[in-house]
Amino acid sequence: MGSGAQLTVTDLRRAARHPVDHKVIGEHRRLGDVHLHIANLSAHGFMVDGAVDMSRGERVIIRLPVVGRIEAHLIWATEERAGFQFERIIRLDNFMQLIDTLQLNPRLRRQR
């Protein structure tokens, strides 16, 4: 990208999301173990398919390949999906390894 070019927040959000099909068991303070299906992932967070019995701001700890244990909090939810934001940003090199691990189908991987 040349100098003077600007990305909007929407552009960054779209560009950063990678489709995945990954099931995890999260640790929740009130609910105990929660089963989550991660549908897309970015270095800042993830979206799950299916309803979650949590309110905005509640936290869950998940374990991801390469990254290990990471905490996230719920930032939005509908009846069918929910979005979580990580408490810390995943380093780019670790994130790219994570995507390569979770996207076994090379057609899903974005060009780099």
Side-chain angles (χ1 to χ4, degrees):
M1 190 166 276
S3 64
Q6 292 183 332
L7 288 175
T8 66
V9 171
T10 303
D11 292 333
L12 287 171
R13 287 178 52 133
R14 280 196 194 116
R17 293 181 181 171
H18 295 266
V20 296
D21 179 11
H22 187 67
K23 293 180 181 176
V24 296
I25 298 174
E27 301 170 26
H28 186 272
R29 178 184 234 183
R30 174 176 52 90
L31 301 172
D33 289 349
V34 290
H35 294 263
L36 302 170
H37 175 252
I38 299 175
N40 74 41
L41 186 64
S42 78
H44 300 276
F46 60 96
M47 184 188 78
V48 298
D49 287 338
V52 294
D53 186 24
M54 292 183 238
S55 300
R56 282 184 57 191
E58 287 191 79
R59 299 177 187 290
V60 65
I61 298 171
I62 62 171
R63 182 175 298 277
L64 293 172
V66 180
V67 176
R69 287 172 51 96
I70 188 165
E71 188 172 5
H73 64 275
L74 181 67
I75 56 174
W76 62 267
T78 67
E79 292 180 6
E80 301 169 3
R81 297 182 290 174
F84 291 83
Q85 181 175 325
F86 292 129
E87 289 298 314
R88 61 181 168 87
I89 295 173
I90 300 172
R91 286 185 17 202
L92 181 60
D93 58 336
N94 288 342
F95 181 71
M96 298 318 303
Q97 283 182 304
L98 173 62
I99 292 301
D100 286 346
T101 301
L102 295 182
Q103 288 183 336
L104 299 178
N105 181 347
R107 291 182 302 173
L108 291 176
R109 296 183 191 152
R110 295 177 189 247
Q111 296 298 319
R112 298 184 197 154

